[in-house]
Amino acid sequence: MKTILGLAAAAIAFAGLAAAPLYLGTYGIGLMIGLIGYVTLASAWALFSGPTRFVSLATVAFFGIGAYTVSVFYESFPPLVVLGLAALIGLGVSLLVGLATLRLAGVYFVIFTFGLAELIRQLVTWYEVNITGTLGRYLFVSYGPEVVYWQLLVLCAVTFGIGYLIQRSRLGLALKMIGDDEVVAEHCGLPTARVKLALFALSSVIITLVGAIQAPRWTYIEPTIVFNPTISFLTLIMALLGGATRLWGPAVGAVPLFLLFEWLSANFPDHYSIILGLLFMAIVFVLPRGVLDFLEGLTARMKSERSRQAAGTAPEHGKGRLAEGEAK
Amino acid sequence: MAFLEISDLSKRFGGLTAVNHVSFELAQGEVVALLGPNGSGKTTVLNMISGLLPVSGGSITLQGKRLSGLPAHRIAHAGVARTFQLVRVLPSLTVSENILAAILFRAGHTSEQEARIEAADLLAAVGLEGRGGEKATDLTYIDQKRMELARALASRPKLLLLDEWLAGLNPSELRIGIDLIAKLNARGITILLVEHVMDAVRALCPRAVVMNAGSKLADGPTADVLRDPEVVRAYLGEPHAAVA
Ligand SMILES: Nc1ncnc2c1ncn2[C@@H]1O[C@H](COP(=O)(O)OP(=O)(O)OP(=O)(O)O)[C@@H](O)[C@H]1O
Ligand SMILES: [Mg+2]
């Protein structure tokens, strides 16, 4: 019953969002493209990084690969074929990178993925300057922004669908096991390397597609735009703010942060990155496990408080004491 | 062909040789104690058998199948399960999910419904009946050890490695623990156990292998081994000098 209600709510929300171009102006659609783009990026990032706790900064590497693939091939093939091609390239790169890095632990993985994004940017720049002789590329597609928006919306819905199915499947359990203790997971018979690789590839393909779908928005593409590391950091903060282990967490983080960054970059273009950095630190300090976790803890505490008052019992030792101390 | 064959097994950590050319065999259905003073390399031997650590030299075979060199999950699928000296639970899961984890990812397919029933049975077998819904981290240390044993059994092992599983139990718990291990062995599981509780070793293990400073020191009937002057000397000055 709850599942049916949830699915119905999701379907209605999807229909409402799909109708958005009918009542939004050009600016509104542009904003929605950015917003849905980040919701999808953060959700796709969290598919892999949330449960496994492998923090990836390679987001922009795949995003940029997607965008560049479209800018190179959009005149040669129909749009959907180009998207498929981008997905394939993203898949290939993610499998290579995954095989090379998923054995790395913790901080080494973070550094490697960050380095990877820079490396790919440098490679593309080098190739464009030395082989093709142009740094930027113009990109004029025959369809309007509403098509970009609808494509993104479908990708976003698919991403949520995948996340939902994973959470309810053995794969979801497998990912939690890996995040908890990889040694125990292996000893339970779980091929951890393969599972991590598959999820990393899945997440990377979705991220590649976001870049590919959004590419026409720029009309002019160059490496510094589509391989901008800020995209990786934003995605990461959004997912962490909302809570990366929950289906809706990344979206809950992405919506307010995206709107805030839009506003900041419009009004404080020079200090935008400083504010971004400060915010990043604040989030990690104040809400290390995300807003949803925080809210859940809060409601749980309120509930137990209420039931205790109803039962007329004294607060338990420990937690109750601490709460009293804090109140004073 | 022996059931478990460990031949010329070595492990080096940088300059330290933790296990030094150790060889011994287990016959199917045996319960064997792996003894030795602190730091003698017992856990490292178990770690190499279960695939937690790669071997530096030598080989391990189970029923003729070479385990050394395989990733740990393949070794688990070949029929090896273990508990850890410092208990390792999957902290974000419930007690019953900790067991389901091992059931669902063992070799062969098990439906989730069957798995749930089996998990409940396993928990009952280790004395955690009805506790499946609790968070694994909320269990006491001893109960976590019980849960870990249930998780090891959930993968239906042929060979069970226990690393000081009886440590920290009070006398009545110890008796229950010893009975449980004996029962598992009676069901046909071959067991290699590292243990400092000598009463349990005497009660459970007809045979013992003793290590000292990475090398094998003795191998034979437990009573004889524990009387061996070299073994006694190895333990002297150790808190467990009361072996003889
Ligand atoms: N991963 C590791 N890296 C480096 N050294 C290690 C590692 N594991 C074990 N050692 C060292 O190898 C030696 C043997 O350790 P091991 O844990 O196998 O001993 P043990 O016989 O199980 O001792 P105890 O009875 O205290 O559990 C010790 O000197 C230990 O410090
Ligand atoms: Mg040990």
Side-chain angles (χ1 to χ4, degrees):
Chain A
M1 189 61 202
K2 220 174 139 191
T3 337
I4 296 173
L5 280 179
L7 282 177
I12 291 169
F14 181 76
L17 283 170
L22 304 180
Y23 48 81
L24 287 179
T26 325
Y27 173 77
I29 294 182
L31 197 68
M32 287 304 282
I33 289 174
L35 181 66
I36 301 294
Y38 268 113
V39 167
T40 313
L41 283 179
S43 301
W45 181 88
L47 278 184
F48 169 73
S49 295
T52 63
R53 298 179 196 171
F54 273 69
V55 171
S56 163
L57 285 176
T59 307
V60 82
F62 294 102
F63 181 89
I65 285 173
Y68 244 90
T69 306
V70 172
S71 74
V72 173
F73 294 109
Y74 80 103
E75 283 173 316
S76 323
F77 303 107
L80 284 181
V81 175
V82 178
L83 288 186
L85 196 62
L88 276 181
I89 297 175
L91 177 67
V93 174
S94 68
L95 289 177
L96 279 179
V97 171
L99 281 174
T101 59
L102 287 174
R103 279 166 220 284
L104 297 177
V107 70
Y108 300 103
F109 180 78
V110 184
I111 293 167
F112 187 98
T113 53
F114 182 69
L116 172 82
E118 286 299 296
L119 176 77
I120 291 182
R121 177 166 74 126
Q122 298 296 341
L123 278 178
V124 171
T125 306
W126 180 89
Y127 186 86
E128 294 284 66
V129 169
N130 292 289
I131 311 289
T132 55
T134 53
L135 188 53
R137 285 168 180 273
Y138 286 94
L139 179 60
F140 298 111
V141 294
S142 53
Y143 49 88
E146 65 286 346
V147 173
V148 170
Y149 171 73
W150 282 323
Q151 287 175 341
L152 264 183
L153 197 59
V154 169
L155 181 65
C156 185
V158 168
T159 306
F160 277 114
I162 291 173
Y164 176 76
L165 290 178
I166 288 178
Q167 275 194 352
R168 292 164 48 108
S169 72
R170 280 176 201 214
L171 187 53
L173 177 64
L175 289 169
K176 276 197 212 161
M177 290 163 69
I178 292 173
D180 272 357
D181 188 330
E182 226 168 298
V183 166
V184 171
E186 271 282 325
H187 279 76
C188 287
L190 183 71
T192 56
R194 228 179 302 155
V195 172
K196 281 189 293 181
L197 185 63
L199 253 289
F200 183 66
L202 175 66
S203 159
S204 303
V205 165
I206 297 172
I207 290 169
T208 309
L209 281 172
V210 175
I213 291 172
Q214 284 192 341
R217 264 184 80 215
W218 281 289
T219 60
Y220 177 74
I221 282 188
E222 71 174 31
T224 47
I225 300 175
V226 294
F227 288 104
N228 180 355
T230 307
I231 295 175
S232 296
F233 284 106
L234 276 182
T235 303
L236 172 74
I237 308 174
M238 287 167 172
L240 289 185
L241 173 65
T245 56
R246 290 157 193 276
L247 185 60
W248 297 104
V252 166
V255 174
L257 278 186
F258 173 77
L259 296 174
L260 179 67
F261 291 137
E262 278 294 300
W263 183 76
L264 282 176
S265 54
N267 293 286
F268 309 94
D270 299 331
H271 305 99
Y272 158 76
S273 52
I274 298 174
I275 301 173
L276 172 71
L278 289 175
L279 211 80
F280 193 175
M281 291 194 279
I283 289 170
V284 173
F285 264 109
V286 181
L287 299 168
R289 301 207 293 154
V291 173
L292 289 185
D293 222 79
F294 176 76
L295 289 179
E296 195 167 89
L298 210 63
T299 47
R301 230 178 310 155
M302 272 158 49
K303 251 189 225 157
S304 71
E305 190 71 29
R306 220 174 298 137
S307 67
R308 210 158 37 219
Q309 279 170 2
T313 50
E316 322 156 20
H317 289 291
K319 268 197 178 163
R321 287 256 183 89
L322 202 66
E324 278 168 21
E326 280 167 355
K328 281 173 202 165
Chain B
M1 180 186 71
F3 176 72
L4 177 74
E5 237 177 88
I6 294 187
S7 49
D8 212 23
L9 191 65
S10 294
K11 182 71 198 180
R12 286 179 290 277
F13 296 111
L16 174 87
T17 303
V19 176
N20 195 7
H21 301 288
V22 168
S23 302
F24 63 91
E25 295 181 350
L26 258 61
Q28 185 147 26
E30 263 192 307
V31 195
V32 175
L34 182 57
L35 307 177
N38 292 115
S40 55
K42 308 176 297 287
T43 296
T44 305
V45 168
L46 295 198
N47 285 346
M48 287 189 283
I49 299 174
S50 79
L52 195 158
L53 292 173
V55 307
S56 305
S59 72
I60 302 162
T61 59
L62 183 74
Q63 296 182 307
K65 181 185 166 79
R66 198 180 166 107
L67 299 184
S68 35
L70 294 181
H73 72 271
R74 298 268 308 274
I75 294 177
H77 287 171
V80 179
R82 71 174 293 176
T83 63
F84 295 90
Q85 184 169 353
L86 290 172
V87 67
R88 291 176 95 142
V89 304
L90 296 165
S92 75
L93 304 183
T94 64
V95 174
S96 119
E97 284 170 334
N98 262 268
I99 315 302
L100 284 173
I103 297 175
L104 293 174
F105 295 108
R106 71 188 173 202
H109 183 87
T110 312
S111 80
E112 251 162 77
Q113 204 180 354
E114 291 167 330
R116 269 174 212 292
I117 296 168
E118 194 180 332
D121 290 347
L122 283 166
L123 286 175
V126 297
L128 289 174
E129 193 154 19
R131 309 276 301 272
E134 292 177 35
K135 272 204 74 169
T137 45
D138 287 347
L139 295 183
T140 62
Y141 187 73
I142 298 299
D143 284 343
Q144 289 187 356
K145 286 192 128 184
R146 291 196 167 110
M147 187 195 79
E148 205 185 33
L149 178 61
R151 192 176 65 205
L153 296 174
S155 50
R156 295 209 177 129
K158 299 176 199 155
L159 172 66
L160 180 62
L161 311 170
L162 299 175
D163 200 349
E164 303 195 24
W165 189 73
L166 295 166
L169 299 184
N170 68 35
S172 71
E173 289 170 335
L174 189 61
R175 211 171 324 111
I176 298 171
I178 291 173
D179 287 347
L180 182 59
I181 295 174
K183 214 164 32 176
L184 296 176
N185 180 240
R187 269 175 28 195
I189 302 178
T190 307
I191 299 173
L192 178 62
L193 61 91
V194 172
E195 201 48 73
H196 285 304
V197 184
M198 286 305 154
D199 288 341
V201 171
R202 286 200 186 85
L204 281 168
C205 312
R207 184 182 143 215
V209 174
V210 185
M211 292 180 65
N212 187 33
S215 302
K216 189 170 92 170
L217 193 62
D219 181 350
T222 303
D224 298 354
V225 160
L226 292 182
R227 248 184 272 119
D228 185 328
E230 277 206 62
V231 173
V232 175
R233 205 174 314 123
Y235 270 98
L236 269 183
E238 289 282 327
H240 314 291
V243 281

